[in-house]
């Protein structure tokens, strides 16, 4: 006589956190990392060309006292290469920060706690002195640990960060304050120093691609799993 009574429904768990899509942002970040690395390869090629050509008899481009001589065609083309590689690095930085902000937020949602680093440090962590020596790496590591508790951090993380520090703060790297003319003068006298920093920047770009892939992969597992659980398609 109790046939009309409906059986109790199964207890439904609390809905999964609404994670932000990361696949598209990661693809853009990896492509721009590759472009930035290619830009620094081009710089290295021009550094070698300048060293092989040798300094003109008229001396370095910056003559001192605010005087600059007319550039040779090779020196002039180096300015173009430097501008192009600098633009590629800027675009790469923007794309990487966008991706980093997403994985940071997702990591906090997955862990159910506030991220260790404030959202402001996603942007200012790269430029505030002393802080910029470890905060960006910490944000990436925190996002990975929150997304894959108990898993070891990817080896590429430390490789990327070590090479980034060498390339960015080596005096002639991404954040170096020397003008293009002064870098040209160094190519004539200390090309191996320039090539060492170029190699560090290129290596950091390559390792950065692996970092982006690793962090994105662990979060994409959650995104794909949630989509399948609720009958949707994998989230990009």
């Amino acid at each position: 006589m109790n046939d009309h009574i409906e059986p109790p429904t199964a207890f439904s768990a609390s809905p999964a956190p609404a994670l932000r899509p990361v696949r598209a942002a990661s693809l853009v970040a990896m492509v721009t990392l590759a472009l930035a690395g290619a830009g620094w390869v081009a710089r290295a090629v021009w550094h070698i060309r300048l060293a092989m050509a040798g300094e003109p008899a008229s001396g370095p481009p910056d003559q001192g006292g605010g005087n600059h001589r007319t550039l040779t065609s090779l020196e002039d083309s180096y300015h173009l290469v430097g501008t192009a590689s600098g633009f590629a690095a800027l675009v790469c930085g923007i794309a990487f920060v966008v991706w980093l902000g997403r994985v940071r937020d997702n990591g906090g949602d997955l862990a159910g706690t506030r991220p260790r680093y404030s959202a402001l440090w996603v942007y200012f962590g790269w430029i505030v002195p002393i802080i910029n020596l470890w905060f960006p790496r910490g944000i990436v590591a925190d996002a990975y640990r929150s997304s894959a508790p108990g898993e070891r951090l990817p080896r590429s993380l430390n490789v990327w960060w070590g090479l980034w520090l060498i390339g960015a703060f080596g005096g002639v790297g991404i954040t170096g304050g020397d003008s293009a003319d002064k870098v040209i003068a160094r190519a004539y006298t200390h090309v191996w120093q320039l090539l060492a920093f170029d190699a560090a920047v290129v290596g950091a770009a390559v390792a950065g691609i692996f970092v982006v892939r690793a962090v994105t992969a662990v979060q994409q597992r959650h995104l794909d799993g949630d989509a399948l659980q609720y009958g949707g398609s994998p989230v990009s």
Side-chain angles (χ1 to χ4, degrees):
M1 63 180 176
N2 294 326
D3 292 343
H4 65 283
I5 300 178
E6 296 181 0
T9 57
F11 175 76
S12 59
S14 57
L19 302 180
R20 294 150 188 80
V22 292
R23 181 174 288 158
S26 71
L27 288 174
V28 174
M30 288 188 288
V31 168
T32 55
L33 278 165
L35 290 175
W40 247 257
V41 169
R43 283 170 63 107
V45 170
W46 255 255
H47 290 156
I48 294 172
R49 292 183 63 191
L50 288 165
M52 292 180 64
E55 186 175 81
S58 53
D62 188 348
Q63 303 280 293
N67 296 318
H68 291 75
R69 64 166 171 76
T70 303
L71 297 176
T72 66
S73 59
L74 181 59
E75 292 168 345
D76 197 43
S77 64
Y78 177 77
H79 277 259
L80 297 176
V81 170
T83 300
S85 61
F87 179 75
L90 175 62
V91 174
C92 174
I94 294 172
F96 192 89
V97 166
V98 170
W99 169 83
L100 184 58
R102 290 196 177 194
V103 296
R104 171 203 169 272
D105 293 343
N106 283 350
D109 290 340
L110 288 169
T113 60
R114 301 182 73 178
R116 182 178 179 184
Y117 298 89
S118 166
L120 289 176
W121 293 122
V122 172
Y123 309 98
F124 294 106
W126 300 89
I127 59 177
V128 177
I130 307 300
I131 293 295
N132 57 8
L133 295 179
W134 78 89
F135 265 40
R137 178 200 175 277
I139 296 172
V140 176
D142 187 50
Y144 188 90
R145 290 193 182 103
S146 300
S147 306
E151 292 188 21
R152 174 180 289 186
L153 290 173
R155 293 180 181 177
S156 55
L157 178 61
N158 288 332
V159 175
W160 162 68
W161 190 242
L163 291 174
W164 163 259
L165 291 178
I166 294 171
F169 302 104
V172 292
I174 295 175
T175 59
D178 285 350
S179 65
D181 286 347
K182 288 185 177 180
V183 175
I184 289 172
R186 290 195 186 192
Y188 290 135
T189 57
H190 299 90
V191 69
W192 291 111
Q193 182 189 64
L194 290 176
L195 293 177
F197 293 126
D198 291 338
V201 174
V202 174
V206 174
I209 292 173
F210 286 96
V211 170
V212 172
R213 285 184 60 186
V215 180
T216 300
V218 295
Q219 293 198 351
Q220 196 62 44
R221 291 204 303 258
H222 294 281
L223 286 162
D224 292 345
D226 292 344
L228 293 174
Q229 179 183 354
Y230 292 99
S233 57
V235 181
S236 62

